[in-house]
Amino acid sequence: MLSNKGECILEYNEQKDKTLHRKDVDWTQSKVIFISPYFTPYQIEAINFKDLPIELWEVRFYENQTISYTQLKPIETASIKEISKGGVIERVSEDVIKDVFTSMDNQITEIDPNIQQEVGKSTIYYKISGITFAYFWFQKTQLSIDLRLPKTTKELYGIGKIREVQEGDLFGVNVKINSSKDVNRAVELIRQAYETVASTT
């Protein structure tokens, strides 16, 4: 849905015969509601993750033509992001690298509350309006960060390098960091990558 905002708005306008614009919608509150007579144990388990924007509703039909809806509530809540993120970070052997990432993560989320963090198999990446501006690659003794910045970027603060990229690859700068003393400079470059994307959305 977040990757097809235009189609969602168009469908809404056609169904409701109203005019709604993308900027009028708080996409961070998007939620998918599943309605079914029954759900599998795995589906029910999914709602225990507090940051999965889903709801499960059981529907029942009765002989007197009435219908009832019952929302299934989570038994306990945990963050799927923290569980997944923790698995990626735990592959890093150096505690100092874990501390460096935690410090950077806190500063990145302060840039804009709408920044989204997603966890891949071996990466953590940050998006704004569905567009990635920073990839974190976790290595044993350092963080390698690919940034959506042009190869013409002049100020790299002594820690960034221009990547050798193919035409069409928009991640022109790489930063490697293995010490807390470089956190602020790295975050400044990440901020520039964020602004590059935010200015076009």
Side-chain angles (χ1 to χ4, degrees):
M1 179 168 59
L2 294 179
S3 299
N4 299 279
K5 296 177 182 177
E7 288 82 353
C8 290
I9 294 296
L10 179 61
E11 181 67 22
Y12 177 90
N13 289 342
E14 290 179 348
Q15 292 290 336
K16 299 294 185 179
D17 195 24
K18 296 180 180 179
T19 301
L20 185 70
H21 300 92
R22 278 183 292 183
K23 63 181 178 61
D24 298 327
V25 179
D26 182 359
W27 296 99
T28 63
Q29 300 301 314
S30 301
K31 182 176 295 184
V32 178
I33 298 176
F34 295 92
I35 302 175
S36 175
Y38 63 89
F39 295 97
T40 67
Y42 297 104
Q43 292 168 331
I44 295 173
E45 183 69 23
I47 62 175
N48 288 329
F49 294 111
K50 62 185 179 183
D51 41 15
L52 277 182
I54 63 174
E55 289 183 3
L56 304 184
W57 289 75
E58 286 187 339
V59 60
R60 294 285 185 269
F61 299 90
Y62 299 97
E63 292 182 356
N64 62 357
Q65 305 300 311
T66 60
I67 302 174
S68 71
Y69 296 93
T70 304
Q71 183 181 4
L72 301 184
K73 298 289 188 178
I75 299 173
E76 56 183 352
T77 57
S79 170
I80 193 171
K81 291 181 180 178
E82 291 303 320
I83 292 172
S84 302
K85 183 168 67 175
V88 174
I89 297 174
E90 284 306 315
R91 300 193 188 108
V92 179
S93 61
E94 300 290 336
D95 286 339
V96 65
I97 303 304
K98 299 175 187 177
D99 292 340
V100 165
F101 172 76
T102 299
S103 176
M104 296 182 70
D105 181 51
N106 290 336
Q107 293 191 51
I108 292 169
T109 54
E110 289 177 357
I111 294 173
D112 184 337
N114 294 315
I115 288 176
Q116 304 147 347
Q117 182 196 80
E118 296 193 14
V119 181
K121 185 175 181 180
S122 58
T123 63
I124 291 176
Y125 47 105
Y126 295 86
K127 293 181 171 184
I128 187 69
S129 299
I131 302 175
T132 301
F133 61 87
Y135 278 101
F136 279 69
W137 302 86
F138 288 79
Q139 301 169 349
K140 285 192 173 182
T141 59
Q142 65 181 3
L143 289 173
S144 179
I145 310 166
D146 290 339
L147 298 175
R148 195 183 183 101
L149 286 171
K151 295 178 64 174
T152 55
T153 302
K154 301 296 184 183
E155 181 55 74
L156 299 175
Y157 300 101
I159 58 171
K161 292 181 63 176
I162 300 298
R163 297 178 65 228
E164 294 297 327
V165 297
Q166 297 180 349
E167 185 177 354
D169 188 338
L170 301 177
F171 290 80
V173 173
N174 175 264
V175 173
K176 288 183 170 58
I177 180 171
N178 58 15
S179 170
S180 59
K181 66 181 176 65
D182 293 327
V183 165
N184 290 339
R185 288 183 289 175
V187 170
E188 181 54 37
L189 284 170
I190 293 169
R191 182 190 298 275
Q192 291 180 32
Y194 156 79
E195 291 174 348
T196 297
V197 173
S199 64
T200 63
T201 58

